[in-house]
């Protein structure tokens, strides 16, 4: 029997609902249950793929090629369960599907309405998870009170009624702001938020109360009384220094016990939190630290690089070091010497990106890392920039660039119009829509023996997730390899370069895919483990 936990948020956005859901998923797993997490996003875009990282943070890509909300990254990192395209939907997608059915005549002449057509479509999205796990945790994006959320709240209300209290509970995440003048945490916004939720017919069983300091008994009692909730179910969720402490702190506050209790589960299965205890222990007792410069163009919103930041931390956990991240706008290097900013870092990472802005700065950063023998990891755009750098400065191809640049004389990076994926041919053209048309999701790659890539992965067959439109042009392979940039990973048909590395460098690797999407604190990605190890080594040499 699948049980459902619906997670809503109140008072303000950015409360860490996604993280809370992921941590609860991890706690249920620690009790031996299987879990599946999904997210309903009320915005109108069909998916976040076309949104600016400044608007929405990172776009998380699944193996099956969906561009999804970054919360799915939290879910995967905390539970290890690979997210799929069917784990995230949006108002845009729900309406698209309903309207397509309407055009086909599927509704047999009915007037199409929010209730029941839109709400039914939402319920179908939830119901299709039935039987896939012991617990399905379903997070509703946005904040209770938003106009866009209404159909989703109505749908989960109906769903809860249909399956009954033993199979569906509602958990509401709120904020208790601290008012210095009063010297206390305020419960009123929580009361209002719960009242709002109740006006939609949803009575939460559990409140997860975010606060920056301990919540006194009195305040807990007051919330319980005003919100009509069992006092034990008012769970404090205090700020912690590492997100990986969250499963442990929630457990201490009784979250998993109260969730079981709300479902009427009396015999609690035993709990094993050792994975999380070990991770937190390693995070809190590093033996040294390294500094990694991340040179991108969305660096003032670190959510744009969410999975990347975490993957670097995971690399640090396995090397027992604290990883300090130094975010820098690549444009800086278009006017200033890299030396000035980068002489004291242990590693340089150029992440994925799009468009023209700041590309010359990234190319300079790659050059600096190559020349100064500083460990360099180039991810997607960061790999493409490293290839352009080598083409220009080692092969003497002066106008080398990417077709993505407004001006490019020699497209060393270009648009691939067709390639083979398994038994199927995939085609692209520069005329098509921007949404959902990149090379997306998991693709296999073949690694060459005797290369660093092969040594790092310990295997010659890998699968990694992609999200890009352009590719390194294979025709430049010979020239680049003669100059020392080895193509160490290729698509199975040998046409798409997947990994490049400088042979005459302690650690310089560029990858066309996004390894950060698959890294987990309990299973750090080998590329990040190796990159951080190289950075530690670099630190020793300084
Ligand atoms: N802009 C590049 C492309 O589309 C790289 C994309 C990325 O870094 N994710 O090919």
């Amino acid at each position: 029997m699948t049980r459902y936990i619906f997670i809503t948020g109140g008072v303000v956005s950015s409360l860490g609902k996604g993280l809370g859901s992921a941590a609860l998923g991890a706690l249920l797993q620690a009790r031996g249950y299987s879990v599946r997490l999904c997210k309903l996003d009320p915005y109108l875009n069909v998916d976040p793929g076309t949104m600016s990282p400044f608007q929405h943070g990172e776009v998380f890509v699944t193996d099956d090629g969906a561009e999804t909300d970054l919360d799915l990254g939290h879910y995967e990192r905390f539970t290890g369960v690979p997210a799929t395209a069917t784990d995230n939907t949006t108002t845009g997608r729900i309406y698209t599907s309903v309207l397509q059915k309407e055009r086909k005549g599927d509704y047999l002449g009915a007037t199409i309405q929010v209730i029941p057509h839109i709400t039914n479509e939402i319920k179908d999205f939830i119901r299709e998870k039935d039987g896939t796990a012991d617990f399905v945790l379903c997070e509703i994006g946005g904040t209770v009170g938003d106009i866009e959320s209404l159909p989703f709240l109505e749908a989960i209300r109906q769903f809860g009624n249909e399956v009954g209290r033993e199979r569906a509970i509602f958990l509401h995440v709120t904020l208790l702001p601290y008012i210095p003048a009063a010297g206390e945490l305020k419960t009123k916004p929580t009361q209002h938020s719960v009242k709002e939720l109740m006006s939609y017919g949803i009575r939460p069983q559990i409140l997860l109360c975010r606060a920056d300091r301990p919540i006194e008994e009195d305040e807990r009692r007051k919330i319980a009384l005003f919100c009509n909730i069992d006092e034990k179910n008012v769970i404090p969720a205090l700020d912690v220094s590492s997100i990986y402490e969250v499963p442990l702190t929630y457990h201490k506050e009784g979250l998993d016990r109260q969730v079981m209790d709300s479902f009427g589960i009396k015999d609690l299965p035993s709990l094993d939190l050792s994975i999380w205890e070990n991770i937190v222990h390693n995070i809190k007792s590093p033996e040294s630290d390294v500094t990694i410069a991340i040179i991108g163009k969305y660096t003032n919103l670190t959510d744009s690089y969410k999975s990347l930041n975490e993957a670097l931390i995971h690399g640090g956990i396995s090397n027992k070091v604290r990883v300090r991240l130094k975010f820098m706008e690549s444009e800086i290097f278009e006017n200033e010497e890299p030396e000035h900013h980068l002489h004291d870092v242990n590693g340089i990472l150029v992440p994925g990106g799009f468009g023209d802005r700041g590309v010359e700065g990234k190319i300079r950063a790659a050059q600096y890392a190559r020349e100064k023998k500083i460990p360099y990891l180039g991810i997607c755009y960061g790999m493409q920039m490293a290839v352009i750098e080598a083409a220009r400065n080692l092969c003497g191809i002066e106008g080398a660039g990417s077709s993505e640049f407004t001006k490019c004389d020699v497209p060393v990076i270009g648009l691939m119009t067709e390639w083979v994926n398994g038994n199927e041919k995939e085609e692209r053209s520069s005329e098509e829509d921007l949404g959902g048309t990149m090379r997306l999701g998991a693709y296999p790659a073949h690694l060459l023996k005797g290369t660093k890539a092969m040594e790092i992965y310990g295997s010659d067959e890998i699968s990694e997730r992609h999200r890009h439109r352009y590719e390194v042009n294979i025709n430049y392979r010979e020239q680049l390899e003669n100059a020392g940039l080895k193509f160490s990973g290729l698509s199975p048909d040998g046409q798409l370069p997947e990994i490049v590395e400088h042979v005459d460098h302690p650690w310089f690797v560029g990858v066309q895919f996004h390894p950060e999407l698959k890294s987990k604190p309990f299973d750090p990605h080998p590329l990040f483990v190796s990159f951080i190890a190289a950075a530690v080594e670099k630190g020793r040499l300084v």
Side-chain angles (χ1 to χ4, degrees):
M1 176 175 80
T2 298
R3 294 179 169 93
Y4 293 84
I5 304 171
F6 292 103
I7 298 129
T8 53
V11 183
V12 293
S13 59
S14 307
L15 277 181
K17 246 186 311 151
L19 204 65
S21 308
L24 176 55
L27 282 179
L28 293 168
Q29 281 182 321
R31 289 205 180 265
Y33 292 110
S34 62
V35 297
R36 175 151 178 203
L37 286 95
C38 58
K39 181 154 190 212
L40 302 167
D41 273 310
Y43 53 72
L44 278 133
N45 305 57
V46 171
D47 63 37
T50 52
M51 283 192 222
S52 157
F54 286 128
Q55 288 275 316
H56 194 264
E58 164 188 275
V59 173
F60 189 78
V61 182
T62 59
D63 276 331
D64 54 359
E67 297 177 279
T68 69
D69 188 78
L70 60 76
D71 279 326
L72 273 78
H74 289 310
Y75 304 164
E76 235 190 270
R77 277 189 289 279
F78 276 77
T79 65
V81 179
T84 70
T86 54
D87 292 330
N88 189 200
T89 195
T90 66
T91 296
R93 189 174 294 276
I94 295 285
Y95 270 81
T96 303
S97 165
V98 167
L99 293 175
Q100 276 164 353
K101 288 183 191 163
E102 184 270 336
R103 290 289 84 183
K104 271 202 272 167
D106 286 1
Y107 296 115
L108 305 174
T111 306
I112 312 303
Q113 295 180 298
V114 173
I115 305 172
H117 299 95
I118 297 297
T119 46
N120 281 350
E121 192 74 24
I122 298 170
K123 284 192 290 180
D124 286 348
F125 170 87
I126 302 166
R127 203 174 288 112
E128 79 190 11
K129 279 55 183 179
D130 217 34
T132 59
D134 297 329
F135 286 92
V136 168
L137 286 75
C138 184
E139 180 189 347
I140 321 300
T143 308
V144 167
D146 297 346
I147 289 178
E148 289 95 339
S149 311
L150 288 176
F152 290 101
L153 296 175
E154 170 59 15
I156 61 171
R157 180 195 71 76
Q158 291 177 13
F159 190 92
N161 274 352
E162 286 163 22
V163 300
R165 257 300 304 280
E166 318 70 51
R167 287 195 57 206
I169 64 164
F170 298 92
L171 185 155
H172 190 54
V173 186
T174 73
L175 174 74
L176 304 190
Y178 178 75
I179 305 295
E184 57 184 26
L185 288 168
K186 289 297 184 186
T187 64
K188 194 75 79 190
T190 297
Q191 295 174 35
H192 280 294
S193 171
V194 172
K195 197 167 149 199
E196 181 87 21
L197 199 53
M198 292 219 213
S199 74
Y200 305 135
I202 296 175
R203 186 168 91 81
Q205 279 75 29
I206 298 189
L207 283 185
L208 198 53
C209 302
R210 294 296 314 274
D212 66 355
R213 63 203 66 215
I215 304 172
E216 303 295 333
E217 272 314 306
D218 261 6
E219 284 150 350
R220 251 173 113 161
R221 210 167 302 133
K222 198 162 151 192
I223 296 170
L225 184 67
F226 281 95
C227 297
N228 198 16
I229 280 169
D230 187 341
E231 200 181 314
K232 289 200 290 300
N233 288 4
V234 178
I235 313 272
L238 307 190
D239 295 349
V240 282
S241 57
S242 157
I243 57 169
Y244 300 117
E245 280 177 66
V246 175
L248 299 175
T249 55
Y250 282 7
H251 168 67
K252 245 190 240 137
E253 300 291 358
L255 178 63
D256 46 321
R257 196 187 55 227
Q258 292 317 116
V259 165
M260 303 278 124
D261 185 68
S262 304
F263 279 113
I265 302 172
K266 294 287 171 244
D267 296 325
L268 296 195
S270 64
L271 173 86
D272 179 5
L273 283 173
S274 53
I275 298 179
W276 299 102
E277 284 156 357
N278 288 339
I279 291 168
V280 171
H281 171 80
N282 282 344
I283 290 177
K284 297 219 156 163
S285 47
E287 288 166 6
S288 61
D289 51 357
V290 292
T291 303
I292 304 294
I294 298 179
I295 299 170
K297 65 184 253 194
Y298 317 108
T299 53
N300 44 11
L301 180 71
T302 52
D303 259 5
S304 320
Y305 300 114
K306 192 79 220 154
S307 297
L308 183 67
N309 305 347
E310 296 309 321
L312 286 163
I313 291 168
H314 304 162
I317 295 174
S318 69
N319 281 287
K320 296 200 169 60
V321 293
R322 174 180 298 123
V323 179
R324 297 188 192 281
L325 306 179
K326 181 172 176 176
F327 286 95
M328 303 189 69
E329 282 291 306
S330 61
E331 277 172 305
I332 294 177
F333 304 119
E334 290 172 7
N335 306 309
E336 294 174 39
E337 280 305 313
E339 174 73 21
H340 185 61
H341 298 278
L342 298 176
H343 67 275
D344 56 352
V345 303
N346 306 105
I348 295 176
L349 193 151
V350 177
F354 292 85
D356 246 353
R357 183 168 70 79
V359 288
E360 291 303 325
K362 291 180 185 177
I363 293 168
R364 284 202 77 190
Q367 179 181 7
Y368 181 79
R370 176 176 61 76
E371 290 174 352
K372 299 286 174 186
K373 305 240 184 287
I374 299 172
Y376 176 92
L377 176 56
I379 293 180
C380 210
Y381 219 23
M383 176 247 208
Q384 297 175 357
M385 296 308 113
V387 170
I388 293 173
E389 191 278 316
R392 286 185 192 172
N393 301 327
L394 295 176
C395 305
I397 309 173
E398 241 174 61
S402 162
S403 317
E404 188 170 357
F405 301 174
T406 338
K407 190 181 160 310
C408 166
D409 298 332
V410 189
V412 173
I413 313 295
L415 187 71
M416 281 289 292
T417 48
E418 57 177 67
W419 69 86
V420 181
N421 182 19
N423 291 325
E424 282 173 34
K425 191 163 102 180
E426 295 208 27
E427 291 177 83
R428 298 286 186 270
S429 97
S430 51
E431 308 295 308
E432 66 199 351
D433 286 354
L434 287 183
T437 54
M438 284 186 265
R439 178 146 83 103
L440 285 169
Y443 281 83
H446 183 76
L447 308 188
L448 273 75
K449 303 229 158 37
T451 58
K452 179 159 248 101
M454 171 89 189
E455 178 195 317
I456 292 170
Y457 278 94
S459 161
D460 59 359
E461 297 296 337
I462 62 165
S463 169
E464 292 282 4
R465 296 184 192 166
H466 290 248
R467 180 173 186 253
H468 55 102
R469 206 174 299 283
Y470 301 89
E471 308 278 351
V472 176
N473 187 335
I474 192 75
N475 297 331
Y476 291 95
R477 181 177 182 179
E478 204 182 320
Q479 241 178 312
L480 287 160
E481 288 201 332
N482 287 341
L485 187 67
K486 175 112 188 127
F487 285 31
S488 50
L490 293 157
S491 58
D493 66 356
Q495 290 308 300
L496 305 176
E498 296 278 14
I499 309 184
V500 295
E501 56 191 60
H502 275 296
V503 285
D504 185 23
H505 191 288
W507 210 102
F508 191 112
V509 179
V511 294
Q512 184 58 81
F513 45 81
H514 289 275
E516 72 274 22
L517 301 178
K518 286 176 62 165
S519 189
K520 301 172 187 78
F522 42 83
D523 183 16
H525 192 288
L527 270 170
F528 287 92
V529 175
S530 178
F531 176 56
I532 296 299
V536 174
E537 192 54 36
K538 161 91 180 117
R540 275 203 201 102
L541 299 176
V542 174

